Amino acid sequence: MNATASLRGAGMLLVAATAWGGLFQVATVTLPVLDPFHMTAIRYAITALVFAGLLAFTEGPRALKTEGRTLRAALLGSSGFAGLGLLVFVGLQYSRPEHGAVIMATQPLIAAVVAWFVRGARPARATVALLGVALAGVLLVVTKGRFTGLFAGGTGFGDLMMFLGAVSWVIYSLGAADFPSWSPLRYTALTCVLSLPAILGATAIATASGYVSTPSAGDVESVGWQLAYIIGIASVLGVLSWNAGNKLLGVTNGMLFINFVPITVFAIRIAQGHHFQPIEFVGAALVIGALIANSVVVRRAVAPAQQGAKGTVRFSLPVRRLQRTAGPQEPRLEGSRRRVAHPL
């Protein structure tokens, strides 16, 4: 890979991470006016149309067909887009942007553990240990070191909702391995479109039950620029930049850039005059350090396979051992995963 391609990939990944970092602060301004259900419905209804149009333009109208896999794609899309979108925005009503950013940054480690339980791809022991370090860092940020007050009038409920949203997206991301013939754009676009019944259905139920009320046109218009950011910058530009950057640098290198999401959020909050306690910086540093250390584990696990195989192999999850394929001297790693869009 030449230096120009590396710089382009890094630039795209920085754009994505910065866009997602800004999303949390923009959402906190929007939520008092537009509830999580209607915000998610508007966000993904428009995003789905954009992605579907891009897919038809780049891969042709035939790519819009699900090839008999509609139900599977719809279930995964509902887990990803409905689960992440609703749970994160509901969580933000009870928590703070920096909490959400730090929680979302643990997804690469969460993915390794979820893949272990769902697919039997056992992660390296170091990865499990680093997940514990990352979760400890999250708790330090959330509780400021006062663990007994996690759910006592604090942000515990909102943080739990955002953590469940992160797990929902991890399940969605791992599900891409079941669609090996689909490009990342096709998987993202079709699952986003097929998630709309779940999102709209949840919004209708929440409205009918009185949990939320239908916003007026004036309400939507009053947060027009926030919605433009959430849809155009965070959802479309962020996802496309993330996919393109990972294609140039590879997932192992690209995943490191998720560290810039909490860094962006902390920088925005400091610029707004918020004063963090030292323990919060310690917690964020533990999360970022655990992600960097896990990247080293991934590299060491991937290196033997790359040396023994003739072609280029990319993996996103560290595993504990190598298995032999049918061909001679072509080891593969258990639990390999396709590259897909990031959550936010």
Side-chain angles (χ1 to χ4, degrees), residues 110-123 170 174 317 335 337:
I110 295 173
V113 176
V114 171
W116 182 10
F117 287 101
V118 174
R119 302 186 182 278
R122 186 174 183 177
V170 165
L174 295 179
L317 296 177
R337 296 288 173 260

Side-chain angles (χ1 to χ4, degrees), residues 138-321:
V138 170
L139 286 176
L140 288 177
V141 173
V142 169
T143 66
K144 299 180 177 63
R146 297 185 291 272
F147 298 106
T148 56
L150 181 60
F151 289 96
T155 62
F157 175 76
D159 298 326
L160 177 61
M161 292 297 100
M162 290 190 284
F163 179 78
L164 293 176
V167 174
S168 296
W169 188 268
V170 165
I171 294 171
Y172 165 78
S173 298
L174 295 179
D178 297 334
F179 298 80
S181 63
W182 290 13
S183 68
L185 175 59
R186 187 179 185 188
Y187 180 73
T188 303
L190 294 184
T191 52
C192 186
V193 170
L194 293 171
S195 72
L196 291 180
I199 294 173
L200 297 177
T203 302
I205 292 173
T207 303
S209 65
Y211 182 74
V212 299
S213 58
T214 302
S216 66
D219 291 334
V220 176
E221 185 179 355
S222 68
V223 290
W225 76 265
Q226 289 94 335
L227 286 174
Y229 183 96
I230 292 171
I231 297 168
I233 305 299
S235 299
V236 177
L237 178 62
V239 167
L240 292 177
S241 297
W242 182 261
N243 282 337
N246 275 322
K247 184 175 182 179
L248 289 171
L249 292 185
V251 176
T252 302
N253 296 321
M255 194 57 67
L256 283 173
F257 286 81
I258 201 65
N259 293 320
F260 286 95
V261 175
I263 290 174
T264 300
V265 172
F266 272 67
I268 292 173
R269 294 282 280 161
I270 291 172
Q272 291 176 329
H274 182 81
H275 296 287
F276 291 99
Q277 297 182 16
I279 194 67
E280 294 180 88
F281 288 111
V282 172
L286 283 177
V287 174
I288 293 172
L291 292 175
I292 294 174
N294 186 63
S295 177
V296 175
V297 173
V298 172
R299 290 172 182 275
R300 290 179 177 176
V302 172
Q306 290 179 326
Q307 292 174 359
K310 295 180 180 180
T312 301
V313 184
R314 289 191 181 97
F315 299 96
S316 60
L317 296 177
V319 293
R320 196 172 173 187
R321 64 181 184 276

